[in-house]
Amino acid sequence: MTRRAVVIGAGHYLPERIVENAEFEASLDTSDEWIRSRSGIERRHFAADGETTSQMATRAAQAALKSAGRTAEDVDAIVLATSTADLTFPSAATMVQSQLGMTSGFAFDVQAVCAGFVYALANANALIASGQAERVLVIGAETFSRIMDWTDRSTCVLFGDGAGAVLLEAQEGTGSSDDRGILATDLNSDGRYRDLLYVDGGVATQNTGHLRMQGNQVFRHAVEKLAATAHTALDRAGVDAEDVDWIVPHQANIRIIQGTAKKMGLPMDKVVVTVQDHGNTSAASIPLALSVGVERGQIKPGDLLVTEAIGGGLAWGAVVLRW
Ligand code: UT7
């Protein structure tokens, strides 16, 4: 028998305010046409004044608990992927813990930027596989609108805010790739590329700073590294690419999503795409896509999924799981 971390619920939260591409035309030398054709993004949600990452994460976590038919009392641990925690410390995860009314268990943040949810899933899987937890809430939540330079057209039109969550539960599997749950993970980073995507503020500068990105350089790395990490994870899981029902990719750019699917030899009708409605929500994008994919009736119990993401660091990785 093999202890598996099985997804038993998913949920998401998007802030109320929706900003269409055309709204940027008033203040920037840009166009709806440029943003759509270069990125696939049509609109994004922005948090309200005072609305924080931990608040959005809590709403997504409550939705995931509801869909699983569980309460916060059933949760042993919270792993929250974010690069935009409310404060430098404590972790946004401990804030979610208190907002959920939990007074036991443990909670921590994982910071791997856009790859954060993949890293968080891998960590939560290890906690469950090693017997340290029975049920783990894994959340991705971001308020990238707070770290945008609104005068930089090459970045500020690309990102959005939101949160998604899944509840993982320890279940006994047979050890085969037919098991439900996380079957394999692959994590990578290479800090030599840290200048391609970073925030120019933090403790060292005593201000929050703004996101800076050499987008076309990140793009160059993305398709190759994403297809490679997905293949590594599929190999470890003992499955072939053609067995995959759904790719649930990080939603940064439709051209990266299409390029990765093509490199993996899979058609776009096997890809969950939400980038047009959410923009790039960094660590929130995969759990948002998982939850929306279930709502749309795309992802069903027993489906084989591969999630993959790349972002600042560079950090990238993939998780193969049976839903
Ligand atoms: O999620 C974390 C990882 N991040 C990513 O995966 C993002 C990866 N990169 C990308 O998605 C794409 O590189 C972008 C969407 C950011 C940019 O697309 P691109 O096709 O790589 O364009 P580019 O950066 O090479 O820029 C092409 C042109 C430039 O003008 P010149 O130098 O050719 O005259 C830019 O100044 O487009 C210009 N440009 C814009 N024009 C209108 C850049 N931003 C805009 C804009 N509106 N918003």
Side-chain angles (χ1 to χ4, degrees):
M1 298 295 263
T2 303
R3 234 172 115 85
R4 296 287 195 193
V6 178
V7 176
I8 60 164
H12 69 272
Y13 171 79
L14 287 159
E16 218 169 282
R17 184 172 164 224
I18 297 173
V19 174
E20 302 285 339
N21 288 346
E23 285 193 42
F24 289 100
E25 293 173 4
S27 56
L28 288 170
D29 180 13
T30 190
S31 64
D32 174 44
E33 200 284 327
W34 189 95
I35 302 168
R36 264 174 211 256
S37 62
R38 296 296 179 120
S39 71
I41 297 165
E42 298 172 22
R43 61 193 64 82
R44 73 289 290 139
H45 293 244
F46 285 147
D49 287 347
E51 191 171 32
T52 66
T53 293
S54 73
Q55 288 167 356
M56 295 195 299
T58 300
R59 298 283 290 268
Q62 286 165 334
L65 286 169
K66 192 171 173 210
S67 91
R70 301 282 184 183
T71 69
E73 281 175 18
D74 300 319
V75 177
D76 302 316
I78 299 171
V79 184
L80 196 165
T82 189
S83 300
T84 47
D86 305 10
L87 300 174
T88 305
F89 73 78
S91 67
T94 53
M95 296 186 185
V96 172
Q97 186 186 23
S98 73
Q99 286 163 25
L100 289 174
M102 281 170 65
T103 52
S104 62
F106 60 97
F108 60 96
D109 289 355
V110 166
Q111 213 278 45
V113 203
C114 297
F117 190 74
V118 165
Y119 272 63
L121 271 185
N123 274 281
N125 182 48
L127 289 173
I128 286 179
S130 60
Q132 294 176 80
E134 292 299 312
R135 277 181 219 97
V136 183
L137 263 173
V138 189
I139 310 170
E142 302 278 18
T143 41
F144 264 46
S145 62
R146 300 259 154 74
I147 52 167
M148 287 298 116
D149 172 352
W150 298 108
T151 66
D152 177 8
R153 67 176 183 172
S154 71
T155 54
C156 74
V157 302
L158 301 173
F159 293 89
D161 301 334
V166 298
L167 182 62
L168 296 178
E169 181 177 77
Q171 291 183 9
E172 290 300 332
T174 62
S176 88
S177 61
D178 292 333
D179 288 348
R180 286 187 67 205
I182 294 176
L183 300 177
T185 64
D186 181 56
L187 302 181
N188 310 269
S189 64
D190 189 340
R192 287 176 301 169
Y193 299 117
R194 63 190 178 277
D195 293 340
L196 298 187
L197 176 48
Y198 64 101
V199 170
D200 60 4
V203 173
T205 61
Q206 297 184 53
N207 62 23
T208 312
H210 295 113
L211 181 145
R212 307 293 174 201
M213 177 167 72
Q214 295 178 47
N216 50 11
Q217 298 297 315
V218 177
F219 196 111
R220 260 188 345 105
H221 287 278
V223 171
E224 199 141 314
K225 287 184 165 52
L226 289 172
T229 187
H231 275 302
T232 302
L234 289 168
D235 279 350
R236 283 186 191 148
V239 293
D240 295 324
E242 67 231 32
D243 301 325
V244 170
D245 294 297
W246 294 104
I247 305 178
V248 187
H250 171 47
Q251 311 280 325
N253 186 314
I254 191 67
R255 293 185 293 140
I256 295 175
I257 293 171
Q258 288 164 340
T260 306
K262 191 171 172 199
K263 215 170 168 71
M264 293 177 67
L266 290 170
M268 281 302 289
D269 60 11
K270 288 195 166 193
V271 186
V272 178
V273 179
T274 56
V275 68
Q276 69 282 2
D277 295 327
H278 303 163
N280 182 346
T281 58
S282 185
S285 91
I286 288 175
L288 270 165
L290 287 170
S291 177
V292 168
V294 171
E295 255 183 23
R296 284 181 189 157
Q298 293 176 307
I299 300 171
K300 298 193 185 65
D303 282 354
L304 185 69
L305 271 53
V306 57
T307 65
E308 31 86 345
I310 186 165
L314 295 174
W316 67 102
V319 173
V320 173
L321 70 153
R322 193 171 294 284
W323 197 256

